Amino acid sequence: MRATDPRASVVIPTYNRREELRTTLTSLADQNLPADEFEVIIADDGSSDGSLEVVRSFEQRLALRYFFQEDQGARAAMARNAGARLADAPVLIFLDTGTIAGPGFVEGHLALHASPDEARGPRVVIGYTYGYRPFDPTPGLAEAVAALAPEAVRRRYGEDPSFQDCRHPEFLSVDFHANSLPLPWIMPWTVNLSVATADFWRVGGFDDSFQGWGVEDLDLGLRLHKSGARFDVSREAWAIETPHERDPSGNADSVTRNALHLLRKFPEPAVELNWAWFATGDWLTEDNSAPLHARYARLLDWTDEARGLCADHELEAMLTNVPTGASVAVFGCGPKLPRSLPAGTTLFDFDVRVRAAVAADTPSRPVRHALGVRTCLPDQSFDLVIVTSRLRGVWKDYGKLILAEAHRIGRAVRSSCP
């Protein structure tokens, strides 16, 4: 089958999951939208289980394209990019292997992209995904999806909380307007996601340098967010994720490494907090990311409250007896610096306005936009790290991590916080 002018390109990465791929392709063949109005692109990350034969079995039911790359470890970002390069449609829909599209899935994505919103920039559509509960699987769901059509599965479970998308509490808290969340860019996951093709490539697509499991979709979300994109949740573009075995502890190192890679690309407080969520294991123990949003909201509130809070006097005191030529870093430098601050001191502040003001007043003293939870600097980079009282408003949430980071990069630490 061919799609002469496809309205959407559905990109599905896969690796050695032939039966799950069959289930996903079957759901796409059963769409309300005629099959010649969208195309399906399989981006194979090196399967050796006969996945290609499964794809070929749908040649009469779907407009298909297939890309294969050698197995060199998990390279989902690279596979998705390769699939997107084959796309002819103006809208890219990313769907995971094993995720079952509801009959109105493609139409639901297209409907939001077609609604007038020219003045508000790019739009990212987050498709609601029932049963997407990686660490709390819906009881009986695997058996239900094997026996019933997607609509029948949804009717059986209804509004059962165990069947809801794990992001449901965050979505509900903002009446499903994801853009209103403190960290909207952490919500669009490639299990069920769409973006205009032009907007996808305008920000560079996925970053191929992400390898292993996790975070490549957050990186895309952050770059789209910075480009002015709005994030919408579509209940019409729903899908159901088929439960399958996971290895969260086995993925912990990969996701933490990738979160640090993201922080190196975007060294700023929001991304530090995202790294901490993974590095501390909170992503495994918290039911959803609502606590992370809450902690970032508290940081934003404290940033406003502390904007005029100066730390120059306490810095003056903590610089006493510092040897000449010592390398110094300051977490929470504030808007006013003491005269005794050694030349070459590395300054950090979580308030972007304070950072800009200090940089304008003293161009020779650049200020990094950072909280101090994680700096990406080498171990023992400084003779002394000073932590000021400007960080007291976030100490309950992140004090232990800030002190640990100060000790990691500093041979000595002086702190005004408890």
Side-chain angles (χ1 to χ4, degrees), residues 29-361:
D30 292 336
Q31 290 293 291
N32 294 335
L33 189 71
D36 61 355
E37 292 190 24
F38 65 98
E39 63 182 3
V40 178
I41 302 169
I42 309 303
D44 195 328
D45 192 18
S47 295
S48 57
D49 66 343
S51 291
L52 177 56
E53 284 68 28
V54 172
V55 174
R56 284 174 173 158
S57 71
F58 284 85
E59 287 179 339
Q60 303 304 313
R61 302 180 64 190
L62 290 167
L64 291 167
R65 296 188 180 192
Y66 177 81
F67 169 84
F68 180 89
Q69 64 187 25
E70 291 184 7
D71 181 5
Q72 296 181 11
R75 297 183 296 161
M78 184 177 292
R80 289 190 184 100
N81 277 344
R85 290 188 189 98
L86 297 177
D88 283 336
V91 173
L92 290 170
I93 304 175
F94 295 98
L95 184 67
D96 277 354
T97 295
T99 305
I100 304 169
F105 169 79
V106 176
E107 286 181 317
H109 278 285
L110 288 174
L112 269 183
H113 285 287
S115 60
D117 194 33
E118 294 298 327
R120 301 187 68 173
R123 170 176 270 165
V124 179
V125 178
I126 304 167
Y128 192 90
T129 307
Y130 293 102
Y132 190 69
R133 311 181 66 81
F135 312 123
D136 182 25
T138 306
L141 182 57
E143 293 76 15
V145 297
L148 302 171
E151 284 184 300
V153 174
R154 191 170 71 148
R155 283 195 300 271
R156 170 178 287 189
Y157 283 93
E159 296 303 314
D160 185 338
S162 73
F163 185 55
Q164 292 173 346
D165 189 313
C166 66
R167 298 166 291 182
H168 188 92
E170 296 101 296
F171 293 155
L172 187 62
S173 71
V174 289
D175 196 25
F176 289 85
H177 299 298
N179 219 55
S180 299
L181 287 164
L183 294 166
W185 54 270
I186 71 170
M187 305 309 292
W189 302 339
T190 45
V191 63
N192 181 357
L193 175 72
S194 67
V195 62
T197 305
D199 294 331
F200 175 79
W201 290 119
R202 188 174 294 116
V203 299
F206 288 99
D207 182 345
D208 288 349
S209 64
F210 282 91
Q211 298 191 20
W213 187 83
V215 184
E216 78 279 353
D217 45 4
L218 306 190
D219 171 71
L220 176 66
L222 180 55
R223 285 181 284 118
L224 285 165
H225 178 62
K226 288 179 176 292
S227 76
R230 195 180 89 193
F231 299 88
D232 292 312
V233 181
S234 173
R235 299 296 295 269
E236 287 70 36
W238 62 269
I240 303 171
E241 204 214 22
T242 305
H244 59 279
E245 289 187 9
R246 300 178 187 272
D247 182 17
S249 59
N251 288 327
D253 288 344
S254 172
V255 75
T256 302
R257 182 177 63 251
N258 282 345
L260 186 59
H261 180 43
L262 179 62
L263 181 57
R264 289 191 179 101
K265 292 180 64 178
F266 301 101
E268 56 193 71
V271 188
E272 285 182 81
L273 269 55
N274 178 72
W275 169 85
W277 194 53
F278 289 110
T280 59
D282 285 347
W283 68 289
L284 293 169
T285 59
E286 295 174 348
D287 290 339
N288 50 59
S289 60
L292 175 57
H293 288 283
R295 288 190 284 268
Y296 185 60
R298 288 195 290 272
L299 171 59
L300 294 179
D301 289 343
W302 173 247
T303 299
D304 289 338
E305 184 179 341
R307 182 149 293 139
L309 180 64
C310 295
D312 54 324
H313 293 303
E314 63 186 81
L315 278 173
E316 189 86 47
M318 285 191 284
L319 286 166
T320 303
N321 300 323
V322 173
T324 302
S327 56
V328 178
V330 177
F331 289 177
C333 66
K336 187 177 180 182
L337 303 176
R339 293 182 180 275
S340 59
L341 196 67
T345 298
T346 300
L347 302 173
F348 300 83
D349 202 272
F350 52 89
D351 188 335
V352 69
R353 296 187 192 177
V354 166
R355 175 196 179 198
V358 172
D361 288 344

